[in-house]
Amino acid sequence: MTALLDKFRQLADAREALTQLSQDPFRVTIEQILSPTEARVNGRPMILAGTNNYLGLTFDPQCIEAAVQAVQEQGTGTTGSRMANGSFSGHLALEQELAEFFGRRWCDVFSTGYLANLGVIAALTGPGDVILIDADCHASIYDGCRMSGAEVIRFRHNDVADLYKRLRRLGKRCANTLIIVEGLYSMLGDRAALAEIAAAKREYGAYLLVDEAHSLGVLGERGRGLSEEVGVEDSIDFIVGTFSKSLGATGGFCVSDHSEVDLARYVSRPYIFTASPCPSVIASTRVALHKLRTEPALRVRLWNNARRLYDELKGLGFRLGPDPSPIIAARFGQKEETIAFWNELLQRGVYVNMILPPAAPDGGSLLRCSVSAAHTPDQIDTICQAFRSVKAALEV
Amino acid sequence: MTHYETILPQLYEILKPFAQDGQTLSDETELVADLDLDSMKVMEILLEVEERFDISIPLNVIPDVRTIKDFACQIEQLTEQK
């Protein structure tokens, strides 16, 4: 018989083993944040190369000004749910602006991107329905699936033949099936095979949800994501996204032409039973969305930086994702090697994300960079030089 | 021979490479406790079983599968639903 807290013993041992090798990588403290790409960590200046701050808008003066004005005029928080306390006009305005941006009729805004996936998936599907998810989908999608009570079936990552096989097995149940994929996958930065997946969806009469969390503002001529880039927006039933990456704030949304998305507010527990987004968050997000729409140069800078870092790291012999993208992840075999490499990068003033098993695909380890439009050419050089120098020092 | 009885030997064949040296598999063998399977190996086995029986195994049923017998029963149910 084990006591309630005994289950934490294994975790405590794992953390102890990790801190023997390194400082606890999951408790890094940013002592001072200086810009979208710079901070002070452990008393030393650090280039931030793992923020997901793709357009670098977190310090944009107009976004900040809008947030400050909203705090002064509307207060620090909403202190409750939109269902109970009512919606602020900013919530509705942002929903309208997002719907218009995506050319859709309906939009729901959620308090975080995580809650958007939970809220949408659990509202759209339930017992008796089927969800077909790409195996590499984000934890928020898995958690939404679990919350829904639907039957959840995985298909091999980006394997369209496997998806077809599973749709065939479902037969008539395809009408009750929601396929879920991501635009850009968060760990390796690879794109969904969306044209083929959309064709499969059409052929079998299923529904398709695309999480554009990492592709909003990054892909597509207007920044609407992979669906736009591939030219299959008409086949996508639901697009989910977040404000916490390209838009530099916190929050999430779902847009669709299905009016049920508007009705989902009445049954979506993650929408109903949480406080609505703060006025300042909504205000900065609206300005950031406007910038995303009107300043395509941000996207050009982002991609220049992304291609450069990808090409450099590939040239150094690192095993990366299949295509350049603002998410550039170097694969490592051994956990210990990854931890040592990460520490050495930190010593050289470069902060990247360390992903250890079981969080990385295929059970491996990753050092994951995310590039920003706000990175200067010198900063990209410094990141490349740090990778080069640590590789030589550790002989990996 | 029942459907269950035709499934069992095929399941043993798939699981045999994961058995410890000298370990004999039976329908009471526990997948995690006795075969020491981690989540990656479980997923690998699921994919092979899905191919062999032309079924999709929902993630929802996995927590209910403790022994080889539980696994065979789930496969039996899923193949009968086809």
Side-chain angles (χ1 to χ4, degrees), chain A residues 6 10 17 19 27 62 88 117-118 145 163 170 193 207 218 235 285 323 335 360 379:
Chain A
D6 285 354
Q10 197 181 358
T19 48
R27 296 182 78 174
Q62 288 169 296
F88 284 28
N117 270 331
L118 246 60
C145 291
L163 173 63
L170 285 168
Y207 293 84
V218 171
S235 298
T285 301
D323 301 304
K335 188 168 82 174
Q379 288 174 332

Side-chain angles (χ1 to χ4, degrees), chain A residues 364-381:
Chain A
S365 302
L366 300 174
L367 290 181
R368 173 189 180 275
C369 306
S370 56
V371 173
S372 172
H375 280 122
T376 64
D378 283 352
Q379 288 174 332
I380 298 291
D381 280 344

Side-chain angles (χ1 to χ4, degrees), chain A residues 132-133 142 145 149-154 156 162 165-166 168-169 173 358 360-363, chain B residues 39-40 43-44 46-48 50-61 78 81-82:
Chain A
L132 268 174
I133 55 170
Y142 276 91
C145 291
E151 203 170 285
V152 184
I153 296 170
R154 302 187 343 159
R156 287 186 177 97
D162 194 38
K165 195 183 298 172
R166 291 172 193 280
R168 172 184 57 74
R169 287 172 187 155
R173 296 186 74 198
D362 306 327
Chain B
S39 57
M40 294 296 290
M43 286 303 153
E44 198 181 316
L46 284 180
L47 289 171
E48 197 173 338
E50 288 178 328
E51 288 297 316
R52 172 76 65 102
F53 296 98
D54 194 26
I55 54 173
S56 292
I57 301 173
L59 297 183
N60 320 50
V61 308
L78 289 165
Q81 282 170 17
K82 278 174 29 178

Side-chain angles (χ1 to χ4, degrees), chain A residues 62-123:
Chain A
Q62 288 169 296
C63 290
I64 290 173
E65 189 186 334
V68 168
Q69 191 180 343
V71 167
Q72 287 171 338
E73 291 177 358
Q74 300 172 57
T76 53
T78 63
T79 67
S81 162
R82 288 170 67 179
M83 278 294 180
N85 293 20
S87 294
F88 284 28
S89 60
H91 295 134
L92 298 170
L94 178 56
E95 285 176 343
Q96 195 176 339
E97 286 157 11
L98 281 163
E100 187 198 333
F101 172 59
F102 281 97
R104 304 281 176 152
R105 292 172 60 208
W106 306 101
C107 175
D108 296 345
V109 159
F110 293 82
S111 299
T112 68
Y114 177 85
L115 289 178
N117 270 331
L118 246 60
V120 171
I121 295 167

